[in-house]
Amino acid sequence: MGESNFSNKNMVWYNGTLIPYKDVKIPILTHSLQYGSGIFEGIRSYPSSSGSNVFRLKEHMRRFLNSAKIYGMNLGYNQEQLFDAVIETVGANKIKSCYIRPFAFIDDDSISISTKGKKVSVTVSVIPYDSIFGVDKLKGIRCKVSSWKRLNSSILPIQAKASGNYLNSIVAVNEAMKLGYNETIILSGNGYIAEGSGENIFLVKDGKLVTPGDDSDVLLGITRDTIITIAKEMDFEVVLRNIHRDELYNADEIFLCGTAAEVAPVIDVDGNMIGDGKAGEITSKISGAYDKTVNGDNQKHPDWISAVEF
Ligand code: PMP
């Protein structure tokens, strides 16, 4: 995303009220800023003829509430109220193609670590957005297996989408970028493939899609679930199992997927060319079906789209 592309005109939903972005003032000692104790979501909304279509908002709000529950944060809003907050914020900002960032944090500037009894604030921000990997996404991206291991649920709750978890992603992606790669692939502590810094991973071998299972050390992405569902509907076999590192090098195709990344073909891992070094045929089919689905053109899943009119 690079430098802020947030204009002063943007409105942020802050504990139930829409206020200009420039008027949000957070004290420097705020607990979540100091200790990484925020929880968040990343949601996409795509242009429609009458405004914008938010993709799988219900599922994102469910995960947001689950993250809050894991950390004992009482958000003070239920799933429907949070859903409405996102719809209201997208409508107020009138940005057709955007990334939506619900964020809840410990809004307290005392320096003690425990969150007990501390105030929780909830915000929703909307950012104009197109693509995370830019032109590299079409060409295919180059990935480096990280020397850092993925955190696991004996260290931190991995199904909570919490700010602090991203330090693990940051060291890994920074290492990969320093070496000239676009993205990292992180192994779990037991040496199997986990995920990217902010994406799940699939490989394609002999016409089948393979991705780490629900019991692996990965965030169970909503895009991952979307792809498993639509790939099965397209009659692809999808296998959920542990993946060894060397299987990456021999894969016919690899792609990363996430709300921001969508379906991003991987054409190189650690300097080894994947397939013929171009976005693979099955990856392209899945990517096309994903684009159709998020744009509201998949008749099988009208419930995944929430229209905002403006
Ligand atoms: N893994 C990690 C670590 C992530 O940050 C993300 C992005 N939220 C994903 C996977 C993909 O999740 P989703 O498809 O829900 O965006």
Side-chain angles (χ1 to χ4, degrees):
M1 264 177 255
E3 66 274 9
S4 168
N5 46 13
F6 219 69
S7 110
N8 279 341
K9 296 197 303 280
N10 281 86
M11 301 298 282
V12 175
W13 190 95
Y14 195 113
N15 292 335
T17 310
L18 283 167
I19 53 175
Y21 179 64
K22 65 177 171 40
D23 293 345
V24 178
K25 306 273 184 250
I26 309 283
I28 195 79
L29 287 177
T30 298
H31 190 282
S32 292
L33 197 53
Q34 297 285 328
Y35 300 125
S37 56
I39 54 152
F40 66 96
E41 268 307 314
I43 311 168
R44 277 292 317 255
S45 199
Y46 293 87
S48 71
S49 51
S50 55
S52 193
N53 283 336
V54 186
F55 189 60
R56 302 198 70 175
L57 178 53
K58 211 179 340 150
E59 290 83 353
H60 280 284
M61 290 299 92
R62 195 181 303 137
R63 186 169 68 186
F64 191 51
L65 280 165
N66 285 343
S67 299
K69 192 164 179 208
I70 288 169
Y71 279 102
M73 293 165 90
N74 179 3
L75 301 188
Y77 300 96
N78 63 26
Q79 195 172 316
E80 290 71 38
Q81 289 167 319
L82 294 167
F83 182 102
D84 291 346
V86 169
I87 299 288
E88 186 187 352
T89 315
V90 173
N93 286 288
K94 299 185 173 48
I95 305 167
K96 287 193 162 228
S97 183
C98 58
Y99 183 87
I100 305 158
R101 171 52 59 83
F103 179 60
F105 65 104
I106 308 295
D107 198 352
D108 185 301
D109 60 0
S110 63
I111 59 157
S112 64
I113 290 173
S114 166
T115 59
K116 191 164 186 276
K118 290 182 177 157
K119 181 184 168 198
V120 174
S121 281
V122 184
T123 68
V124 180
S125 307
V126 175
I127 305 159
Y129 195 71
D130 189 22
S131 164
I132 192 173
F133 293 118
V135 288
D136 286 338
K137 194 184 131 187
L138 298 175
K139 287 195 312 218
I141 57 166
R142 299 176 58 252
C143 294
K144 166 92 183 73
V145 172
S146 181
S147 67
W148 296 94
K149 296 290 181 283
R150 190 77 184 125
L151 52 85
N152 65 65
S153 32
S154 72
I155 297 171
L156 279 172
I158 47 172
Q159 295 313 330
K161 200 165 161 56
S163 305
N165 291 13
Y166 284 81
L167 289 173
N168 184 224
S169 294
I170 289 168
V171 286
V173 73
N174 282 356
E175 176 188 61
M177 284 188 164
K178 253 186 253 168
L179 296 168
Y181 292 87
N182 305 96
E183 180 49 303
T184 185
I185 295 171
I186 316 174
L187 304 181
S188 57
N190 58 15
Y192 293 112
I193 302 302
E195 57 188 334
S197 66
E199 307 88 18
N200 291 114
I201 187 167
F202 283 77
L203 59 83
V204 178
K205 187 73 184 171
D206 300 330
K208 291 180 196 159
L209 275 74
V210 189
T211 194
D214 292 5
D215 54 353
S216 56
D217 296 327
V218 301
L219 182 76
L220 296 175
I222 291 162
T223 316
R224 173 184 176 276
D225 179 71
T226 302
I227 286 168
I228 292 170
T229 306
I230 60 177
K232 286 181 180 166
E233 288 167 357
M234 292 161 80
D235 287 331
F236 287 110
E237 190 178 335
V238 184
V239 183
L240 273 56
R241 64 161 172 83
N242 289 329
I243 301 172
H244 292 285
R245 179 175 182 169
D246 46 280
E247 289 185 78
L248 290 180
Y249 303 147
N250 284 325
D252 298 331
E253 304 177 26
I254 300 177
F255 62 87
L256 297 177
C257 70
T259 296
E262 301 167 317
V263 177
V266 175
I267 54 165
D268 179 302
V269 177
D270 296 336
N272 301 294
M273 189 166 83
I274 305 305
D276 58 4
K278 295 201 285 276
E281 200 184 310
I282 293 179
T283 302
S284 301
K285 278 190 189 154
I286 299 284
S287 178
Y290 183 79
D291 289 348
K292 221 173 130 185
T293 303
V294 296
N295 283 309
D297 296 330
N298 184 337
Q299 311 305 331
K300 290 199 175 94
H301 300 287
D303 50 319
W304 285 352
I305 304 287
S306 301
V308 188
E309 314 230 323
F310 51 83

